[in-house]
Amino acid sequence: MATAPSKLGRRDVLRGLAGTLLLSVTPVGLAATSASVVAVRVWPANAYTRVTIESSAPLTFKQFSLKDPDRLVVDLEGIDLNNELQSLAGKVGDNDPYIKLLRAARNKPGVVRLVLDLKAAVKPQIFTLDPIAEYKHRLVIDLYPAVQTDELLAFLNDNSQLKMDVVPPAVPAEKTASQASNVKPAEAKASDPNKKPTENKPTETVDRSKLKVDRLITVVLDPGHGGEDPGAVGPGGNHEKAVVLQIAKRLRDLLQSEPNFRVVMTRDADFFVPLGVRVRKARAVQADLFVSIHADAFVRPDANGSSVFALSEGGASSTAARWLAQTQNDADLIGGVKVKGGEDLRKTLLDLTTTATINDSLKLGKAMLGELGSINRLHKPNVEQASFAVLKAPDIPSILVETAFISNPDEERKLIDDDYQQKMAQALFKGIKRYFAKNPPLARTRIAQNP
Ligand SMILES: [Zn+2]
């Protein structure tokens, strides 16, 4: 990859003439620039571990995997082993979910070999990033589990209880009742044993204002980006990851000053959290709401304003389509019960979960836009819909707020201003309260959690 064929040819000739002595002083190829490693980082997380090697010039690499035991080998070309690179081994924690041991050693002149002893089979993704902000050239090694999960897909696959709830015939009445009391009204209705599940339409069936329940409301705040990923960078050099964390902390403080709110942050400092982990954290604490906070960027510096996103039906249905395809061959077995018309039933099941949640997300988004409009121009007047991975918790109303354009010099100045950050947090706070005033939280609606 790094060596041009003509060079290789010449080097082979030289090697033939002079043997290893000459080889040791021959550059590895055109890419053998004087790159040196300036920093190394390891970001472990459940969904994947990221290893970053930052260097003064772009690195080229070759990779291969070995089995029994699982190892990943990455040869870094055009570089020599230095202290920084050697420190990488010590940065892998015992609790890293994927890496057991990492070794860096000089393989041949200008080539450093990284050997990663793995705890499980992984699907590595290795790529380079161009310099941004204070970061120089980076080579990123992401170790994903060999079987990658989509949160919605995982939910549908794991959710045997929900599957049982929409399969009335073979389920004992007592069990059905106890489960029905445990799920959202839309799903509970589907479990009515006198109804054929396929008759149910995915519409709101309960007047929530009559269901006021006094309990703690859990709001998950998700400051975008973090760690290795600065997000958008403003013309003044300010990082999206920093301003959204500051706004999220202000919003957290406002919510926690109320007696009935509990706040969980997907990150409360400058570290990297994969998208899937953000969603999983929200589901693990049975969040009532998920609010992802970002700052927008566009090539045109005059782009400005706030916007709010909810998951698109398309985003949900593309996952749904994969799930349907995957379960197609399961002989219509859902939750271990054989049902007729399995296709329709599965579609209904998906509509019930995703449509109800998207409806709630749109209501939340609308309440948010109403408040944001009083402190900033709205980039778009309505809640937009897109297939953001971070919005894919199938059972938690989720929105993504683009607070303002950090690429716009005026809005960048505002975003780093204490008073404006507080105003922004206030607007988000009021939006959340406005949403719950109209849509009081239901009785605890635990459906299913990933372990
Ligand atoms: Zn962002």
Side-chain angles (χ1 to χ4, degrees), residues 189-190 194-203 344-345 348:
K189 190 178 177 224
N194 299 319
K195 283 216 172 242
K196 289 197 189 100
T198 46
E199 287 173 0
N200 289 297
K201 295 280 185 322
T203 49
D344 283 348
L345 181 56
T348 304

Side-chain angles (χ1 to χ4, degrees), residues 132-212:
I132 184 169
E134 78 267 29
Y135 296 117
K136 296 189 163 50
H137 293 272
R138 285 157 297 159
L139 184 132
V140 175
I141 303 170
D142 280 346
L143 304 174
Y144 289 88
V147 181
Q148 176 69 358
T149 58
D150 174 305
E151 283 306 309
L152 179 50
L153 197 61
F155 168 79
L156 292 165
N157 284 334
D158 295 351
N159 200 335
S160 56
Q161 183 180 332
L162 181 58
K163 288 166 190 169
M164 292 300 278
D165 284 337
V166 293
V167 181
V171 181
E174 195 186 313
K175 196 171 181 192
T176 309
S178 73
Q179 287 179 341
S181 67
N182 220 14
V183 299
K184 284 183 182 171
E187 284 104 24
K189 190 178 177 224
S191 72
D192 180 342
N194 299 319
K195 283 216 172 242
K196 289 197 189 100
T198 46
E199 287 173 0
N200 289 297
K201 295 280 185 322
T203 49
E204 187 108 287
T205 54
V206 173
D207 180 0
R208 285 219 188 154
S209 58
K210 298 197 175 83
L211 281 174
K212 194 163 165 44

